[in-house]
Amino acid sequence: MARAAVAQRALGLHLALTYAFLYGPILVLMILSFNRAGLPTAWTGFSFDWYVTLAGSPEILAAALNTIVVAVVSTVIATTLGTLLALGVERRRQSNAVDALLFAPMIIPDIVLAIALLSFFTLLEVTLGLHSIILSHVVFNIAFVCAVVRTRLKHFDYAIIEASIDLGADRFTTFRRVTLPVIFPGVLAGALLAFTLSFDEFIIAFFTAGAGASSTTLPMRIYSMIRFGVTPEINAMATIIMLISFTLVFFSQRLNRGATVD
């Protein structure tokens, strides 16, 4: 019993140290975003001044709007295509080769995918801008949405589709009234994950964005600012992005967990 208690304490200490290593720097950044002084590391008092500064910056607000536009549009397109792709793949015989092709955008390094997309747009003589960032985000978001929706479909009873058709409903009505409501938690979880990935993404957006502020996203704006040093203003921006990301990922995981338990 004594050995078991010691082992339990050791595991608890290991877990605490792991969490401290992972989230300690993030917690420090969030605390310093409320620092009254302009120094990034010396605490001089609590203040919301830097968040007020962010709210009054036209450049940051424009970048935030671009980020939201890119994230929302790419999420809608990727969720639609990823859901349809998951439905099609799950009805076919399982193939490791097909799975490898579907999940390739998830495992390919971002820098490689960014260069490939930039080369593709250049080859087609496509003018770069927000539209090219959106299309690029759709490319890798489809794989994530497809993976999440397929998890839901693993527990899907296809007999209810046959029953709906036998009762006289056409395939579109069956999809709208039967299939989609059943898999909707997985679809919503995939959409939240896609939005989070698109909202945070920097490398691909940096390579596929056009010139000027009209296609500058928030992560790109942070990168341009941080080259001159870390300030509480940057800490405040990073804190907002992290809170949004953590919240969306949390709800995505909750929905996905509910999809696998049903």
Side-chain angles (χ1 to χ4, degrees):
M1 294 294 293
R3 289 184 178 180
V6 171
Q8 189 69 22
R9 291 195 187 97
L11 288 175
L13 178 61
H14 177 268
L15 182 62
L17 291 175
T18 300
Y19 278 123
F21 178 78
L22 290 175
Y23 297 106
I26 296 176
L27 181 61
V28 171
L29 181 147
M30 295 176 69
I31 293 174
L32 289 176
S33 71
F34 297 99
N35 189 11
R36 182 181 300 278
L39 298 176
T41 56
W43 180 263
T44 59
F46 185 88
S47 174
F48 287 101
D49 290 347
W50 301 108
Y51 290 90
V52 175
T53 301
L54 289 181
S57 173
E59 295 83 4
I60 292 175
L61 293 178
L65 178 60
N66 288 339
T67 300
I68 293 173
V69 170
V70 169
V72 170
V73 177
S74 63
T75 296
V76 171
I77 298 174
T79 301
T80 302
L81 297 179
T83 300
L84 295 176
L85 180 62
L87 289 169
V89 170
E90 281 299 309
R91 295 303 297 266
R92 298 173 60 88
R93 189 171 64 179
Q94 298 299 308
S95 169
N96 291 332
V98 172
D99 288 342
L101 289 174
L102 289 177
F103 298 142
M106 299 171 62
I107 60 177
I108 293 176
D110 286 351
I111 186 68
V112 175
L113 185 58
I115 294 173
L117 289 167
L118 177 59
S119 300
F120 180 74
F121 289 138
T122 302
L123 180 64
L124 296 181
E125 298 182 352
V126 175
T127 303
L128 300 181
L130 279 185
H131 59 282
S132 57
I133 301 177
I134 291 171
L135 292 175
S136 301
H137 284 191
V138 168
V139 169
F140 70 85
N141 274 338
I142 286 177
F144 287 96
V145 174
C146 180
V148 174
V149 175
R150 287 183 68 184
T151 302
R152 177 70 177 183
L153 289 173
K154 296 294 183 183
H155 306 271
F156 185 78
D157 184 7
Y158 289 95
I160 61 176
I161 295 180
E162 298 175 359
S164 175
I165 295 175
D166 289 342
L167 291 173
D170 56 38
R171 293 197 174 273
F172 178 75
T173 302
T174 298
F175 174 78
R176 182 172 60 87
R177 301 291 295 273
V178 178
T179 306
L180 185 58
V182 173
I183 67 172
F184 184 74
V187 174
L188 183 57
L192 290 175
L193 180 59
F195 184 90
T196 303
L197 293 171
S198 182
F199 190 88
D200 293 343
E201 205 282 322
F202 165 73
I203 297 178
I204 295 176
F206 182 79
F207 273 76
T208 58
S214 61
S215 58
T216 298
T217 62
L218 198 54
M220 293 168 60
R221 181 66 185 174
I222 293 176
Y223 174 74
S224 66
M225 294 171 61
I226 206 170
R227 288 182 297 174
F228 303 100
V230 179
T231 65
E233 185 179 7
I234 295 176
N235 290 339
M237 248 194 307
T239 299
I240 294 173
I241 291 176
M242 283 189 296
L243 289 176
I244 293 174
S245 300
F246 282 149
T247 302
L248 292 176
V249 170
F250 172 78
F251 282 112
S252 174
Q253 291 298 319
R254 293 279 296 182
L255 288 168
N256 200 29
R257 191 191 327 179
T260 58
V261 171
D262 291 347

